[in-house]
Amino acid sequence: MFACMPFRNLEQIDRRSSGLQRFPEDAFRHHRKLKTLLLDGNPIKLIPRNITALTKLERLTLADCELVSVPAEVFRLSRLQELSLRNNGIGELPTALKGTLALLILDISSNSIGGIPDSIIDNLSHLTSLCINDCTLQHLPQELGGLKSLQVLEARDNRLKFLPQTISQLKQLRKLDVGCNDITDLPEGIGNLTRLEELWVDTNDMESLPVEVGALEQLKVADFSENHLESLPADLTGLANLTDLILSTNTILALPESIGSLKRLAQLKCENNHLTEIPESIGNLKNLKELFLTDNMLEKIPSSVGNLES
């Protein structure tokens, strides 16, 4: 028989949805090697202050727990790269968060933090993903523009009325999701986000889009549904890589002729608008697979629709 040997080199502990009420003791038994600790979905109320013993920890997830605060010791983990605190009862972000200089991924969604202290943003320059959905935020700090490495910014389901102009400085941004807010305008500098692939601005209060939106060459998915848009920018020719354009539930009267230049477009959703006609150029969309036009004021469909092979 083989002797039972202790796992002296354990690098990952996965105790998700295990009914734990406190941190597992085995995390500290393997503190010299532990890199990943997954504790989502447990009724854990406190993070022990001796978590600083986990000096090699790179990934810590505590989503869907019962935390009401986060001790400063968490942010002294010098190797921590990913931290998920989604869906807890955390009321504010501790300023100690600015000490996590190695942090790349931060998810604090579904906590009533109310705001993000400016001093925290200043020290998270290596952050690549920031998820702050459903946090009762009324504004985003101007310092957000300092996150030069940011690729994903999610801020859905908040109370935002505008985005800071400095968002145009996020040159690495690939996904921007600010759906379900009260945003009335997008900043004109959005055209500077030359690597943006996904833009979600659904369920807001916008009446128009800046012309710069039509120049986002890497954009693949754009969702402007459930706003108050009456028109689109006249020139959409720059959207060469767009595959999904969602315009449902607005008050759009007409689509620009330039929509026919979107050669890669596979889905076009325009239902529940005020369209009275469709441009002939729509027949140029050879890759279009889904076209939604119900609940409009259309009297006829252009014959060029017959050119759509899909």
Side-chain angles (χ1 to χ4, degrees), residues 87-108:
N87 195 24
N88 279 278
I90 300 168
E92 63 178 358
L93 287 181
T95 55
L97 176 57
K98 64 185 180 182
T100 51
L101 302 181
L103 197 62
L104 301 177
I105 301 171
L106 176 61
D107 188 350
I108 51 175

Side-chain angles (χ1 to χ4, degrees), residues 203-262:
T203 318
N204 277 282
D205 293 324
M206 297 188 303
E207 296 183 358
S208 63
L209 297 174
V211 295
E212 288 81 3
V213 166
L216 295 170
E217 295 183 356
Q218 299 303 314
L219 197 63
K220 296 178 180 178
V221 178
D223 188 348
F224 303 117
S225 61
E226 298 190 49
N227 278 276
H228 308 293
L229 300 177
E230 296 183 359
S231 63
L232 299 180
D235 187 2
L236 301 178
T237 55
L239 300 175
N241 289 293
L242 196 65
T243 61
D244 296 78
L245 178 57
I246 307 171
L247 303 168
S248 313
T249 315
N250 280 284
T251 57
I252 298 172
L253 301 171
L255 298 177
E257 192 71 27
S258 62
I259 202 163
S261 66
L262 307 180

Side-chain angles (χ1 to χ4, degrees), residues 278-297:
I278 301 296
E280 286 286 342
S281 64
I282 201 167
N284 298 331
L285 303 177
K286 303 300 183 182
N287 288 305
L288 196 64
K289 294 179 174 59
E290 297 183 4
L291 175 61
F292 296 85
L293 296 171
T294 56
D295 296 313
N296 278 284
M297 302 176 182

Side-chain angles (χ1 to χ4, degrees), residues 18-301:
S18 299
L20 296 177
Q21 295 186 0
R22 59 176 61 88
F23 256 57
E25 290 297 327
D26 49 346
F28 298 98
R29 286 199 296 269
H30 303 288
H31 66 93
R32 289 189 177 89
K33 295 290 184 179
L34 191 64
K35 293 183 178 181
T36 299
L37 182 56
L38 311 177
L39 299 175
D40 310 290
N42 288 294
I44 296 173
K45 293 181 172 62
L46 294 173
I47 300 175
R49 296 188 182 279
N50 63 341
I51 194 173
T52 51
L54 308 181
T55 56
K56 300 292 181 64
L57 198 64
E58 297 176 356
R59 185 183 181 200
L60 175 61
T61 67
L62 284 155
D64 304 303
C65 293
E66 298 180 7
L67 300 172
V68 295
S69 64
V70 184
E73 284 78 5
V74 170
F75 308 114
R76 294 174 188 160
L77 298 169
S78 61
R79 298 194 181 190
L80 192 63
Q81 298 180 18
E82 179 180 347
L83 176 62
S84 175
L85 299 168
R86 186 185 69 250
N87 195 24
N88 279 278
I90 300 168
E92 63 178 358
L93 287 181
T95 55
L97 176 57
K98 64 185 180 182
T100 51
L101 302 181
L103 197 62
L104 301 177
I105 301 171
L106 176 61
D107 188 350
I108 51 175
S109 300
S110 299
N111 286 284
S112 300
I113 59 173
I116 303 175
D118 300 346
S119 60
I120 289 178
I121 295 294
D122 287 340
N123 290 276
L124 298 177
S125 59
H126 297 294
L127 208 62
T128 61
S129 178
L130 175 60
C131 297
I132 44 178
N133 305 305
D134 187 24
C135 286
T136 64
L137 300 176
Q138 295 186 11
H139 73 279
L140 298 178
Q142 292 289 338
E143 287 75 10
L144 195 70
L147 302 181
K148 303 300 185 183
S149 301
L150 201 64
Q151 298 179 24
V152 175
L153 175 58
E154 295 183 6
R156 290 186 70 88
D157 295 295
N158 282 291
R159 302 171 185 171
L160 304 176
K161 294 184 181 299
F162 61 91
L163 298 178
Q165 291 291 336
T166 54
I167 205 168
S168 63
Q169 299 172 18
L170 304 178
K171 299 299 180 63
Q172 303 300 317
L173 201 63
R174 299 180 184 275
K175 179 182 180 181
L176 174 60
D177 187 348
V178 289
C180 299
N181 279 284
D182 302 312
I183 296 170
T184 56
D185 296 288
L186 290 177
E188 293 181 357
I190 198 167
N192 295 330
L193 304 180
T194 55
R195 298 193 178 189
L196 197 65
E197 297 178 0
E198 297 182 32
L199 178 58
W200 305 84
V201 204
D202 55 291
T203 318
N204 277 282
D205 293 324
M206 297 188 303
E207 296 183 358
S208 63
L209 297 174
V211 295
E212 288 81 3
V213 166
L216 295 170
E217 295 183 356
Q218 299 303 314
L219 197 63
K220 296 178 180 178
V221 178
D223 188 348
F224 303 117
S225 61
E226 298 190 49
N227 278 276
H228 308 293
L229 300 177
E230 296 183 359
S231 63
L232 299 180
D235 187 2
L236 301 178
T237 55
L239 300 175
N241 289 293
L242 196 65
T243 61
D244 296 78
L245 178 57
I246 307 171
L247 303 168
S248 313
T249 315
N250 280 284
T251 57
I252 298 172
L253 301 171
L255 298 177
E257 192 71 27
S258 62
I259 202 163
S261 66
L262 307 180
K263 303 299 184 183
R264 296 189 178 183
L265 197 65
Q267 177 180 245
L268 175 58
K269 302 189 70 173
C270 299
E271 71 269 30
N272 196 22
N273 276 281
H274 294 173
L275 297 174
T276 57
E277 61 180 4
I278 301 296
E280 286 286 342
S281 64
I282 201 167
N284 298 331
L285 303 177
K286 303 300 183 182
N287 288 305
L288 196 64
K289 294 179 174 59
E290 297 183 4
L291 175 61
F292 296 85
L293 296 171
T294 56
D295 296 313
N296 278 284
M297 302 176 182
L298 296 171
E299 296 182 359
K300 64 177 182 178
I301 300 294

